[in-house]
Amino acid sequence: MITSRLVGYEEAPLDKREFVHHTILPFSDDDTQAFVKKWYTAREKNPAAARDRSQHLIDMIKREPRIKTLATNPLMLTIIALVHRIEAELPHERVKLYDKCVTELVQTWEEVRGLRVEDRQRIYYKYRRRLLEQLAYWMHSQPGERGRAREVKEGNLEFQIRRFLLEDPKLSLDNETAHQEAHDFVNLVKGRTGLLIERGEGVYAFPHLTFQEYLAAADIEYRLADSIDAMWAEIQPRLFDPHWREVILLLLGSLNKFEQHPTELVRRIFESTDEYEPVLHRNLYLATRALADRVEVEAKLRRKIIDQLLSLVIGPEWLTFNDALTAISLLQGDDYAAGRLLAIAQDSRIDQEIRCESAQTLAQLGQTDEAAQVLLALVKDSHNIVGWVRSDAVEALGQLGQINESVIRDLLTLAQEPKMDSEDQLGIQATIESEIRYSAIQALAQLGYSAGSMQVLLAIAQDPLEPDRLRCIAAEALGQHGYSDEAAQLLLALTQDPQTDEHVKLASVETLGRLGYNTDAAQLLLGIVQNPQMKEYIRRDAAESLGQFGQTDDAVLHGLLTLIKDPHETEVMRDSVAKALGKLGQAHEFVLENLFDLLQDSEMDVAVRHTAAQAIGQLGWADKNILEGLLNIAQDSQVDAWARSGSVRALGQLGQTDKT
């Protein structure tokens, strides 16, 4: 096994006829989760604490895009786990995390081979972190694509390092010495130092935009920390530039070591105004984000910012309340914000939707029990609260996670509300109560297993007088929580009942597949696809669901092929079936031959021919005759361009890249 960096490899690669080439992937989401769980299992003696802490970190990584990007690197993920366990509340104290990452990567320079003791005494080496900070600020100031770390050519890199050294009054270097130090700095960077990498021949960049942003913020602090006015002059023109937003937030977070700096700068942001502020509230939201990042400001200013934010929730500008609640949701652990929000959620004079959304935000702030009580009160108040708000409140209850038994009992009561008699079934109130029952059943399913809830769901699923839709979702909930055999029997009964609504039949079959009964589900889906008495869009949806199974038996494949050849079927239906065949992933010879015949049929609708070609490519294998046939079609100027393009794509998917 031979390994190499990507940079520059293609200029002199090993012979691909003699060596199999692979690219090592970054960690996937599953890799990240496995790593975190094993890491905490090894570190925490208490198994329950290990489970809780690892899940907290996994959830945080999922929510925070910048940290998630770093976590794809095993070294960075190790540092993230260390910081999470010992030092910082992630993601709110990202400054601590990034500082640890940078420190670790700078220290790896100690391990560079061939670095002598005298080299470690050189100016460029002793000042390497400071030089990186200056470089990051300069690079971040350059024009470029938003959301990407800037790149710099080697000549410009060396020139800037030399300039930084010459301008430092503490060093008093002459031009020749500065030039040599800069040259040696760049040579060291080439030696796998981690924080500045070679992206291409003679082109350098920070490995992640995150490091560029953090180091740029560190440079501002280093240069201007002795003057709040100077720091404000630096950041004020950039407050609403998305490219500088993270730099500003990281700078504010790094200033917690000072007494007045954080409060004064956040106050200036909060009190700034322009012609757009009354509508966009940009300064208010930025100040709120600073609070969410644990920037330490005086309590009076903190309360003032929160009060202003909450005024948008209940103010006359009705459309702003969602944005304001989103901002408030970031203030986790803030008792003052939670208390004020609870008062809003309980106030019957405030708009019902705002109260419901406020309760959900309250749960995000960690006040789950209080949120559940507010939501239940909204659901139970059928005289004053409109139906759709009550239904939303029930659905929100199911998303709360861990809630107490009294809430579970209330949801069970809602799920068992007496059915309307036949004379009332067309009434609006009956429809509303049915939707609330549906939401209650879904909530019970989301909240997990309890003996009482499973008994209720079983009773609903078995009752032929219950609406089919409720029976289907109740059966799925049973299957997800240990009653898979009972659920399968109930779902099969629904699919075989001629009185069952078509939509519910399809949903029941799809649920069977999700519960692992793929063979039964595949046969039933095929039956729906082949049934001309059912609505076409239902049949197309069934074909799409069938295609997601990945593997199925020959009988299903033959059934789909028979349908695709049926001249009485619409072209749209044939197209859906061809797509399903391609997704099933089974390159049986008879399937390939039939799809190729379809592609060659000049009388066939060109969209179906295009899909047939794509299906051949998705199957991943084809014999020599079909490959040659695809190439002939792709090259035939008499064939429709769409069929030709489908053939070209299929050739590429089948590994015929030279031919494409």
Side-chain angles (χ1 to χ4, degrees), residues 245-315:
R245 181 181 178 86
E246 183 70 2
V247 174
I248 292 171
L249 289 170
L250 290 171
L251 172 64
L252 293 172
S254 71
L255 295 176
N256 282 342
K257 63 177 77 73
F258 296 96
E259 185 71 30
Q260 291 299 320
H261 287 52
T263 294
E264 184 57 32
L265 287 172
V266 172
R267 176 181 287 111
R268 293 188 187 192
I269 292 172
F270 174 60
E271 294 178 352
S272 295
T273 188
D274 56 31
E275 59 185 312
Y276 304 110
E277 186 63 17
V279 177
L280 300 180
H281 313 290
R282 297 182 298 178
N283 293 287
L284 173 61
Y285 290 141
L286 182 57
T288 305
R289 182 54 196 264
L291 299 186
D293 280 358
R294 301 295 190 266
V295 177
E296 297 174 4
V297 304
E298 293 174 356
K300 183 178 180 181
L301 174 61
R302 184 181 189 88
R303 289 194 296 269
K304 193 173 182 180
I305 293 170
I306 292 171
D307 288 342
Q308 181 67 26
L309 198 58
L310 289 169
S311 72
L312 296 182
V313 175
I314 59 176

Side-chain angles (χ1 to χ4, degrees), residues 7 102 107 130 291 314 335-336 353 373 458 533 551 580:
V7 175
V102 168
Q107 287 176 349
R130 179 69 194 117
L291 299 186
I314 59 176
D335 292 338
Y336 180 75
E353 182 182 1
Q373 293 304 318
L458 182 62
Q533 303 304 315
Q551 296 289 327

